[in-house]
Amino acid sequence: MGMTRTRYRESRILVRRINRLPKESLTGFRQKVARLRQHFECFNRDTADLCQWLMGLRKDFAAAYPAVAAAHPESFGTLGNFLLEPAAHDGGIIDEKQRDRWRLRVCDDVMGYRACGTLDGHPLPDELRDAMERAAAERPYGGSRNCNAYRLIERLLALEPQHRLVLLKSAAEWVVARYQRGMENWNSAHKAWADEKDEWERAHPGLTPEIRDLYRNVYKQLSDPDRDDKPGLRRKNPRICPYERLRQNTDNCCYAGQKGHGPLCWKFVEFTKTRQGFNRKAFCIDVERLLKFCSDHNVSNPANAFLSPSMPGVLFADVSAAKHPQRMRQFKANWDAYLHHMGLNATTVMHHGRLPHCMRIGKTHKDSECQFNPHTDYCREYQRALTNPDNGLDDHALSLESLYREWRMNYVAGPSKPQFRYPSAHDLPMPKVFGEGFFEVDFNESILRLHLDDMAPNEWIEFGFTPWPRKYKPSRREISEPGRVTSAHLNFVGTRARVGFRFAVQHKQSRCACSQDELDLLRSRKYPRQAQDQAFLDEARERLSDRFPGDFKNDLRILAVDMGMTGAHAAVYHGNKCLSDLPIPIVKINKLYDRVPRTLVRSRGDTNKVRGPIEMATDPQKASRIVDARGLRKEHVGRHLNAIADGAAAVAAKRQQETDDPMQTLRDSDFRGLKRHIRWMIRDWARLNARQIVDLAEGNQCDLIVFESLRGSRKPSYHLLGPNSERQKAEQVLYAYGQVRRKVTEKAVERGMRTVTVPYHKSSQVCHQCGKEQSNLGLWRKNKRDGKFVCDQEQCDQKSNSDANAARVLARVFLGEITLPKKN
């Protein structure tokens, strides 16, 4: 099969800031911007009212045909579906201008402006004509009894047909993008979720509906910390220890403290770091011998034991007698410093019979289980509710508690329906669109002329705008070609006006005849659940293979990308052979470095400022561990989140004093600039990373870009947030890999490439050479901290960069050579 045709699509918008004209006064410029603002707000009101009218058609259809509407919640009926997406009744292909004319004529007929006999010579379908007559019979409301829609119909009557067309098209696109497509995807996801739920319940027949009801009643009695301790716990995966842990009656809570450890554990870690020359292991052994000596010799206070002449011989039996005084002084100094730092009394330690905290803390709670972390009140409440005889949970039912929690986390409720919001000039703005004949652009002089709704013919209002970027593709000369810019979109960011130029982009020829839209629909409609990732991959690979011109296994060029919080890597494959591993540099807020900076001047406010020239890391493995460079880092975002939290507390305290109202929360205007700054940082981070990936793929002449499918994955530390968790919250803010993938998809289609996702579970723990999962997780974590991967299988000696290994694994997963383990 040959290559796809070269084509143009209105697929890109470049936004420029509106400025003053040369020698224009500031007062005159502000008056013109204020006039633009009025038209912008009026456009949003009219679009919102039209959206409301279209949603009214859906409600009327649902009231008339409830069974059909229940099976197809995305349907708006015959009339509504035609207004949203006009189509020929015989299945013929019509261009965009024809669709716009048909949409306007049908709408004008329903609203009573002008009759519509035919559509460009095509007779109206009988079903559509009947629906138009029913809607027209309810005039003057035009098929809707809403007063806003009635006022809108009266207002639109005074507008030109071109203005009505822009409003109607904008409203239809808004409803399709923000409601109809979301409902179609939700309908598919809900059906797949129901099938997955039935399969899980058949596989676990012991967890009967009666047992689930008993547990559900227990959860209704529990206090909900997310709703001011009101009864009824709603979170699917609550921060409550499982019953198997609670029944042990030990202080080993997963959710209290930090990483499952109490304050004393963390204080001891701090003590070991601040005490120079401190031997933690020897100190713990000496304390154990001290407490045993006190117990054997009936010494009530360990401080008195140091006065006993026989104590050095017991404590330091493995040391020569000449060194006993030195060891005694050293141990006593460490013991006194320990009690002072920890805020403990020697008698308290004697009462415990050991140090009342953990000796070390692993990376996770599973690595070092804490026996000194008391359970939270919610854990105790949950334990009392489970063992309460009134709730009817016997030993058999309690043994199924872990199964119920798994069922609750995945199947207690289905995928939530998308929430539809109408456009608003302040909260959710819709850009005002200026179509053909209503705008003129001079890119050489950077001048924009607009024709507003209330202007006379041949009357224009002029603005300057930020010049076209020099290195942007297409260039200013190319974009100046007649008809290249199809529309101008006016928007406001705060009080500043922005204009976006929508232009057609030439698509390069693609060897993948399977379109990106086909792959996206396959993923979102047919296989919408995480459990269907492998099924989606199998069918997507089959479709790509069937339409590929050549040997798919040997000729396809792939760029597999693995992205993480500390670094990223890409692997280039030609067929099933890896050509190269490409490290992706760390992205800063406003620039992209060729190599990872080793040192930079720290952010403003830091006490230790690094001065002098910038040093670049030459070793990619070492570069991935450098965190001293300024830019979009967790520490940067965490500092902003701390500022918002501290400011929120101060604002609430002040407002409480002024109004005597205890319920004080932040308003939308509070910290608006800082919140916008965080959003823009994430936006720029996603754009720059997407640009890197697309440039790598284009430079290596790749046909396909492979990403991990992160459906169903939780953000870092989603359920283990501790009291000092601003860095973890910052990780959640930075968890924007979906934005990167979507932006890469937009750019890849223009360059003749396609993107696809593959299952991701434990992809970093699998060796790309042997395809085996690592059995020694401790060694794997240690190597990953050092930025390397060393396979622990006996017959495999693979050693590589950890991110490069993960990228290669993703490529081989797409090729079907590696199958990742299923997520439990």
Side-chain angles (χ1 to χ4, degrees), residues 53 57 60 79-80 83 106-107 109-112 128-145 153:
W53 178 69
L57 296 179
D60 293 341
L79 176 60
L83 291 175
V106 170
C107 182
D109 184 285
V110 173
M111 291 185 174
L128 177 60
R129 184 182 297 277
D130 294 341
M132 292 169 58
E133 291 177 354
R134 287 194 300 269
E138 300 180 359
R139 289 174 187 161
Y141 294 95
S144 174
R145 296 179 174 80
I153 292 171

Side-chain angles (χ1 to χ4, degrees), residues 329-349:
R329 287 193 301 269
Q330 183 182 5
F331 173 59
K332 190 175 186 308
N334 288 334
W335 173 254
D336 294 339
Y338 165 80
L339 294 177
H340 176 74
H341 182 88
M342 302 292 292
L344 294 174
N345 187 285
T347 308
T348 305
V349 180

Side-chain angles (χ1 to χ4, degrees), residues 440-609:
E440 293 180 355
V441 190
D442 185 351
F443 287 103
N444 293 325
E445 300 295 333
S446 298
I447 294 177
L448 172 67
R449 301 178 183 89
L450 300 176
H451 180 73
L452 302 181
D453 302 347
D454 56 355
M455 284 184 171
N458 299 325
E459 183 181 357
W460 300 87
I461 184 172
E462 288 190 351
F463 294 92
F465 62 87
T466 306
W468 200 260
R470 291 182 180 179
K471 297 182 180 180
Y472 191 80
K473 295 182 181 180
S475 65
R476 182 176 63 182
R477 181 182 58 82
E478 295 172 333
I479 211 68
S480 300
E481 299 175 359
R484 192 68 184 273
V485 177
T486 58
S487 60
H489 298 237
L490 174 68
N491 205 343
F492 279 81
V493 178
T495 59
R496 297 182 178 181
R498 301 284 194 273
V499 61
F501 298 105
R502 178 184 285 270
F503 52 90
V505 179
Q506 184 177 4
H507 287 197
K508 291 185 178 180
Q509 292 180 336
S510 174
R511 297 202 299 172
C512 297
C514 181
S515 68
Q516 186 64 47
D517 291 339
E518 186 177 351
L519 295 174
D520 292 342
L521 287 176
L522 188 69
R523 184 175 187 267
S524 62
R525 302 283 176 82
K526 189 172 181 180
Y527 303 107
R529 299 281 292 171
Q530 176 199 356
Q532 300 171 320
D533 279 340
Q534 186 62 45
F536 159 73
L537 174 60
D538 294 339
E539 185 164 347
R541 184 171 54 228
E542 181 179 356
R543 294 193 183 189
L544 290 168
S545 174
D546 292 343
R547 306 180 192 179
F548 190 78
D551 189 348
F552 182 77
K553 292 184 177 180
N554 297 322
D555 295 341
L556 183 70
R557 297 181 70 94
I558 301 172
L559 182 78
V561 181
D562 176 75
M563 299 192 66
M565 296 298 301
T566 57
H569 230 85
V572 179
Y573 269 74
H574 189 185
N576 57 0
K577 296 180 180 179
C578 182
L579 300 182
S580 60
D581 294 321
L582 305 172
I584 299 178
I586 293 179
V587 171
K588 302 304 160 193
I589 295 176
N590 58 353
K591 63 171 58 178
L592 171 64
Y593 291 101
D594 295 334
R595 289 173 291 171
V596 183
R598 180 179 297 277
T599 56
L600 281 176
V601 177
R602 292 179 183 268
S603 302
R604 185 173 55 187
D606 291 348
T607 56
N608 300 323
K609 292 188 176 180

Side-chain angles (χ1 to χ4, degrees), residues 364-491:
T364 63
H365 180 77
K366 294 180 180 179
D367 294 338
S368 57
E369 186 170 310
C370 181
Q371 301 294 331
F372 305 94
N373 197 23
H375 288 281
T376 64
D377 294 338
Y378 301 108
C379 294
R380 298 299 183 190
E381 182 184 5
Y382 182 58
Q383 184 180 18
R384 289 193 297 269
L386 291 179
T387 56
N388 188 349
D390 297 337
N391 291 325
L393 291 170
D394 54 14
D395 293 340
H396 174 68
L398 290 175
S399 65
L400 301 174
E401 189 260 354
S402 60
L403 271 183
Y404 172 77
R405 293 187 68 153
E406 180 182 350
W407 178 88
R408 178 183 177 84
M409 182 174 61
N410 297 316
Y411 307 114
V412 68
S416 58
K417 287 186 178 180
Q419 296 182 352
F420 179 71
R421 294 177 59 191
Y422 295 106
S424 168
H426 298 282
D427 299 330
L428 202 62
M430 157 75 76
K432 178 174 173 55
V433 182
F434 293 87
E436 182 179 358
F438 291 87
F439 76 98
E440 293 180 355
V441 190
D442 185 351
F443 287 103
N444 293 325
E445 300 295 333
S446 298
I447 294 177
L448 172 67
R449 301 178 183 89
L450 300 176
H451 180 73
L452 302 181
D453 302 347
D454 56 355
M455 284 184 171
N458 299 325
E459 183 181 357
W460 300 87
I461 184 172
E462 288 190 351
F463 294 92
F465 62 87
T466 306
W468 200 260
R470 291 182 180 179
K471 297 182 180 180
Y472 191 80
K473 295 182 181 180
S475 65
R476 182 176 63 182
R477 181 182 58 82
E478 295 172 333
I479 211 68
S480 300
E481 299 175 359
R484 192 68 184 273
V485 177
T486 58
S487 60
H489 298 237
L490 174 68
N491 205 343

Side-chain angles (χ1 to χ4, degrees), residues 74-332:
E74 73 282 357
S75 178
F76 279 66
T78 302
L79 176 60
N81 290 337
F82 186 86
L83 291 175
L84 294 180
E85 294 183 303
H89 69 282
D90 57 355
I93 300 177
I94 59 176
D95 58 23
E96 186 175 0
K97 291 186 177 180
Q98 269 187 308
R99 290 198 296 269
D100 293 342
R101 289 197 302 268
W102 291 10
R103 178 189 284 124
L104 180 62
R105 290 181 181 179
V106 170
C107 182
D108 285 353
D109 184 285
V110 173
M111 291 185 174
Y113 299 152
R114 55 177 177 171
C116 176
T118 61
L119 300 174
D120 294 340
H122 296 269
L124 289 173
D126 295 338
E127 188 177 3
L128 177 60
R129 184 182 297 277
D130 294 341
M132 292 169 58
E133 291 177 354
R134 287 194 300 269
E138 300 180 359
R139 289 174 187 161
Y141 294 95
S144 174
R145 296 179 174 80
N146 186 275
C147 295
N148 289 336
Y150 173 70
R151 289 192 293 268
L152 173 67
I153 292 171
E154 294 295 324
R155 188 164 65 251
L156 294 184
L157 183 60
L159 298 179
E160 298 179 7
Q162 295 91 334
H163 292 165
R164 292 201 300 270
L165 174 60
V166 171
L167 285 170
L168 181 60
K169 185 177 180 180
S170 299
E173 290 179 350
W174 183 277
V175 172
V176 168
R178 294 181 175 265
Y179 179 80
Q180 194 175 49
R181 292 291 176 261
M183 288 299 296
E184 291 174 355
N185 294 341
W186 172 83
N187 198 25
S188 301
H190 192 273
K191 291 180 179 178
W193 168 83
D195 296 339
E196 188 179 324
K197 176 184 176 182
D198 293 340
E199 182 180 357
W200 190 94
E201 291 177 351
R202 287 195 298 269
H204 303 84
L207 191 66
T208 61
E210 292 77 16
I211 294 179
R212 293 199 299 266
D213 291 339
L214 294 177
Y215 277 106
R216 191 178 292 112
N217 292 332
V218 169
Y219 275 78
K220 289 180 180 179
Q221 303 170 17
L222 300 178
S223 301
D224 192 345
D226 298 331
R227 298 187 303 131
D228 298 329
D229 290 341
K230 292 181 180 179
L233 190 59
R234 295 186 178 181
R235 181 177 289 189
K236 296 180 180 178
N237 186 21
R239 298 180 63 202
I240 296 177
C241 291
Y243 179 70
E244 186 63 31
R245 182 178 291 268
L246 293 173
R247 67 187 299 180
Q248 300 173 9
N249 291 323
T250 57
D251 292 336
N252 57 353
C253 186
C254 296
Y255 301 99
Q258 188 177 359
K259 285 187 179 179
H261 288 269
L264 289 179
C265 301
W266 292 103
K267 269 193 172 185
F268 184 70
V269 172
E270 181 183 351
F271 172 73
T272 58
K273 292 180 180 179
T274 57
R275 191 74 174 170
Q276 294 183 356
F278 182 78
N279 189 325
R280 174 182 54 83
K281 185 176 181 181
F283 177 76
C284 295
I285 294 175
D286 291 344
V287 171
E288 183 179 350
R289 292 175 178 176
L290 171 64
L291 298 179
K292 186 176 185 304
F293 175 85
C294 294
S295 176
D296 296 341
H297 295 77
N298 296 323
V299 179
S300 59
N301 188 348
N304 299 328
F306 289 98
L307 304 176
S308 174
S310 60
M311 178 181 168
V314 176
L315 257 63
F316 313 119
D318 53 344
V319 179
S320 62
K323 294 185 178 181
H324 282 179
Q326 179 184 355
R327 285 293 304 272
M328 179 64 73
R329 287 193 301 269
Q330 183 182 5
F331 173 59
K332 190 175 186 308

